């Protein structure tokens, strides 16, 4: 490189401010903390939690594991959603695979529960409107996640919205594990179904809100 060319490049880049990369882990951590705190409080305000939660977690390994898998799936979903703001050599399919696999495994526990439930199915703690509560509780989480992601200029708007929607719906669906009756069929139809349907809403809103402006 000649001196003149180097000097020319130095002059062009002299006034360019350094760009700070997006801290996706921090974004995911803040969202997770806020989401679980919000839903836990709202669920408490709208009805009591089951009184035997601690006992169930201590004495049923299956119940404990399926709860932890649910938490892990939420973490994977929201982390992957914010990761879409960072260019990667991986295909979009590969980037979606792990978070969607996590959700599938979580749902699989309740499908298994139809044959071998983690706890004895019971009407104890049943909420009359848990289906609607799961959906409604997720909406503020989804909107917060979409506005947060919008600042990061995600490269795949619909996929980002899908993951944010799934994460948002999964949080109240998981909280209902402790705030509503335990019965795998009820969980699948009244907690998981409305929770995961928020993913579709998120994908549509992501297409509208997160496109390059």
């Amino acid at each position: 490189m000649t001196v003149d060319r180097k000097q020319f490049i130095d002059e062009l880049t002299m006034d360019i401010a350094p760009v700070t990369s997006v801290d996706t882990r921090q974004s995911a951590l803040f969202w997770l903390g806020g989401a679980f705190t919000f839903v836990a409080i709202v669920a408490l305000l709208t009805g009591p939690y089951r009184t035997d939660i601690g006992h169930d977690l201590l004495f049923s390994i299956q119940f404990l594991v399926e709860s932890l898998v649910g938490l892990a799936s939420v973490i994977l979903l929201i982390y992957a959603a914010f990761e879409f703001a960072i260019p990667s050599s991986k295909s979009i399919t590969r980037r979606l695979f792990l978070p969607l696999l996590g959700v599938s495994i979580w749902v699989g526990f309740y499908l298994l529960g139809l044959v071998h439930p983690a706890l004895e199915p019971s009407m104890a703690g049943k909420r009359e409107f848990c289906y609607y509560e799961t959906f409604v509780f997720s909406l503020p989480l989804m909107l917060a996640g979409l506005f947060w992601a919008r600042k990061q200029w995600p490269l795949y708007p619909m996929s980002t919205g899908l993951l944010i929607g799934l994460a948002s719906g999964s949080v109240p669906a998981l909280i209902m594990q402790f705030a509503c009756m335990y019965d795998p069929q009820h969980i699948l139809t009244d907690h998981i179904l409305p929770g995961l349907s928020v993913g579709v809403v998120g994908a549509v809103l992501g297409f509208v809100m997160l496109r390059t402006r």
Side-chain angles (χ1 to χ4, degrees), residues 1-14:
M1 180 182 294
T2 65
V3 176
D4 290 341
R5 186 178 179 186
K6 184 177 185 304
Q7 182 179 355
F8 175 69
I9 293 175
D10 290 342
E11 290 176 354
L12 287 176
T13 58
M14 186 178 301

Side-chain angles (χ1 to χ4, degrees), residues 132-145:
Y132 303 102
E133 289 177 356
T134 301
F135 188 85
V136 171
F137 293 172
S138 70
L139 297 181
L141 314 183
M142 179 182 61
L143 292 175

Side-chain angles (χ1 to χ4, degrees), residues 10 41 47 70 74 98 117 131 134 149 168 173 193 200:
D10 290 342
I41 292 174
V74 176
L98 191 58
Y131 183 98
T134 301
S168 300
L193 180 60
V200 178

